[in-house]
Amino acid sequence: MSRDIVWVTLESVRQDHTALGGYHRETAPFLRSVGERADGAAFSNCFSHDVWTRASSASILTGLPSSAHRTWSGEARLSRDVPTVPEALQRAGYRTVCVSPNPQLSEATGLARGFDRFQYLGKSTLVEEAGAATVLRYLTKLNSHSAGYTTDTAKHSIGYLSDAIARRRIREAARDDEDLFLYVHLGDSHHPYYPPKPYQDLYADGFEMSVEEALSFAMEMSDDLHGYIARGAPFSEDEWDALHAMYDAGIRYVDEILRRIVGCADEELDDPIVVVTSDHGELFGEKGMLAHMVVADDAVSHVPLVVAGVDGLTGRHDELVQHADAMKTVLAAAGVDADVPAGVDLREGSREFAVTQRGGERHAHKMDIIGARDDSFDPSRYHAGDLTSLRTEDYRYQRSDDGEELFALPDEATDVAADRPDVRAELAERFEAWMSAHGLPRSEREERAEFDESMSAHLEDLGYL
């Protein structure tokens, strides 16, 4: 029996800033509630396949790790030779729809392939994709769903438009009695951590400066992201507190948009399968980094995951899981025959380790940008080339062109490879076997992502350029 599937990916949300990670703030009450449904499951140890949106999204939509699909640099576009999950769903008769506000998930990066309707919400496409009436309603709600009436586009949230479009597509599929695969990427938790007006003072009791000063500082950090990294992120305790509070408020807002979308799906569709996760986490000074780049530590790879509507999958789960596992499970539950090479059906088995990767080309580009901001920046602190991290429950082993390291978790600063040679050897052997089985490129064709001027401006607002 076929099933509707609604998959929502939250941008840059780390596990330990949600109730799933025991966080002290209730940043995502609806996310938590999905996992607590009678037919819901919550996963406390989900790890992303990569550390940034394009590569992570490509892994979700292909079921492949980054080194296999190769969509992991600023220039890379998903090869036409690499099959996608939406294509398999199309063949199975599904109506496939994607809503994305991020150019990293767009036709430009090859990730629109397989979607009957791909709706990218960029500066120049809002009216076309959302419709004039919806945009006009949005403009009247800038004080409740965005930063108010400012011309600084980096401050604006567009969750209202993502929600309106997603609910429209849900109702259309219900009306036409067609199986639906809806993939929604909610981007408003991405830096600069500038939440909509009603959310800006939500956690103001957590810092000493004024809300206005906190917002200004969040913008300043995002505008000079690479410079602050180059200077070692020299923030005071109160500045860190303000950044965390504004980030948390953004998560709280996207959780509200999530509630509206899933609520519509529950009302309009016949027993849909719902998946909610994040594409990657976020760095707040770990290894001297900000945002999501360069390292594969838990802060940027440990993400929330909840699944509802899959028979035989309920309760809280502490085993290691990854996005491909969730995708393989929901497709099997929906009766869709699709290859998800890196996935494990969560009802039938478990994985011994999770793999997170980071491409060397993008890393080198970031090192050049950061190094240009301050001559004292030392790029040798970070692994050069492609980086692959294998994480078990107790250890994290990583290897790059620079060599290998072994960490005894939760410590990710002290290399214990020399002290624990047996563990290092065992994980090195697993690394080699995994690379041979899953990590090799699936295509020799190299395609280039091409962004128009509007997309490039959007990427600049998001700090990618």
Side-chain angles (χ1 to χ4, degrees), residues 110-124:
L111 299 180
R113 182 153 45 86
F115 287 103
D116 300 316
R117 188 151 193 170
F118 193 99
Q119 301 197 252
Y120 162 65
L121 303 181
K123 295 180 180 181
S124 63

Side-chain angles (χ1 to χ4, degrees), residues 118-181:
F118 193 99
Q119 301 197 252
Y120 162 65
L121 303 181
K123 295 180 180 181
S124 63
T125 65
L126 287 181
V127 174
E128 176 185 356
E129 297 294 350
T134 300
V135 172
L136 285 174
R137 286 194 295 273
Y138 166 65
L139 293 175
T140 67
K141 296 179 181 295
L142 289 179
N143 281 324
S144 58
H145 279 274
S146 196
Y149 294 93
T150 172
T151 58
D152 189 343
T153 55
K155 295 180 178 178
H156 281 295
S157 303
I158 58 172
Y160 177 88
L161 295 174
S162 297
D163 167 42
I165 294 170
R167 287 190 289 150
R168 185 183 308 159
R169 301 303 164 225
I170 289 169
R171 293 185 181 112
E172 288 174 352
R175 178 198 65 203
D176 298 338
D177 195 25
E178 288 191 351
D179 294 327
L180 175 68
F181 174 66

Side-chain angles (χ1 to χ4, degrees), residues 180-207:
L180 175 68
F181 174 66
L182 173 65
Y183 187 92
V184 182
H185 188 98
L186 295 179
D188 292 323
S189 40
H190 194 284
H191 65 82
Y193 318 137
Y194 205 97
K197 276 193 168 184
Y199 295 81
Q200 291 173 359
D201 62 355
L202 194 60
Y203 304 120
D205 59 348
F207 53 87

